[in-house]
Amino acid sequence: MPLFIRITNFLVKPYGRESVVTMLRLWLGLTMMYHGFEKVTGTYSTLTSHLAVLNMPAPQLMAGIITASQSVGGMLIAVGFCTRPMLLVMLLINSASLVETLFFLPLSTFSRKGELALTYLLMNMLLFIRGPGQFSIDGYLSEIATRYMPYKPR
């Protein structure tokens, strides 16, 4: 094979699609888990007071829902079980976080918090559209379901 074709194949051909999806899912799940457990161990009262300042209804309940969904949802995303429902919950949380940084925080803080919220939102959207990938519990269950219960159109 000529050198030009080898170089072109190296630059254009995709390598390891499933492993990239797995790494992205693991990274997102572990960081969400970290943020959730961080709130459990110390910043829960800070989140509650922050939500109270924003005039959110039932700030303690909202903080509990956010904390539980980030810690448990992050764990489920990392292992790849119930991935799309958990990503939908994370999409809602990250959308609210992005709206808060865009409209309720001074512009100087957007560069710190807004870019991170936007990055998490885009990672959530990408994984929601793409799915959990082959190397996940959902992928394994889907493979078993198609192997032992094939779809037969009528």
Side-chain angles (χ1 to χ4, degrees):
M1 185 182 302
L3 181 63
F4 175 74
I5 294 176
R6 282 191 211 166
I7 292 173
T8 307
N9 283 341
F10 175 74
L11 294 175
V12 176
K13 183 179 175 187
Y15 292 103
R17 291 182 194 162
E18 290 299 321
S19 59
V20 170
V21 171
T22 302
M23 287 188 294
L24 182 65
R25 183 177 44 80
L26 281 171
W27 176 253
L28 181 66
L30 292 175
T31 54
M32 286 295 125
M33 232 169 61
Y34 167 75
H35 286 296
F37 287 131
E38 181 185 45
K39 288 175 185 65
V40 168
T41 58
T43 61
Y44 183 78
S45 59
T46 308
L47 177 64
T48 305
S49 62
H50 180 70
L51 292 174
V53 167
L54 291 174
N55 293 325
M56 294 291 275
Q60 286 186 327
L61 177 66
M62 294 293 282
I65 290 171
I66 291 170
T67 303
S69 62
Q70 279 185 337
S71 52
V72 175
M75 198 179 319
L76 290 174
I77 289 171
V79 297
F81 184 64
C82 295
T83 309
R84 280 199 169 125
M86 287 298 111
L87 285 170
L88 189 61
V89 171
M90 294 297 169
L91 273 168
L92 294 172
I93 291 172
N94 289 326
S95 297
S97 176
L98 184 63
V99 166
E100 177 203 356
T101 55
L102 282 175
F103 299 113
F104 297 108
L105 291 179
L107 192 58
S108 62
T109 13
F110 176 74
S111 63
R112 230 177 355 153
K113 294 189 176 202
E115 291 173 355
L116 188 61
L118 182 62
T119 302
Y120 284 142
L121 183 69
L122 290 174
M123 287 170 60
N124 277 313
M125 288 170 58
L126 180 100
L127 278 174
F128 186 78
I129 292 168
R130 173 59 176 84
Q134 178 183 0
F135 306 120
S136 64
I137 295 175
D138 287 342
Y140 178 71
L141 293 176
S142 173
E143 184 179 315
I144 287 176
T146 55
R147 184 181 304 154
Y148 295 111
M149 295 177 277
Y151 174 71
K152 295 178 185 173
R154 296 177 190 204

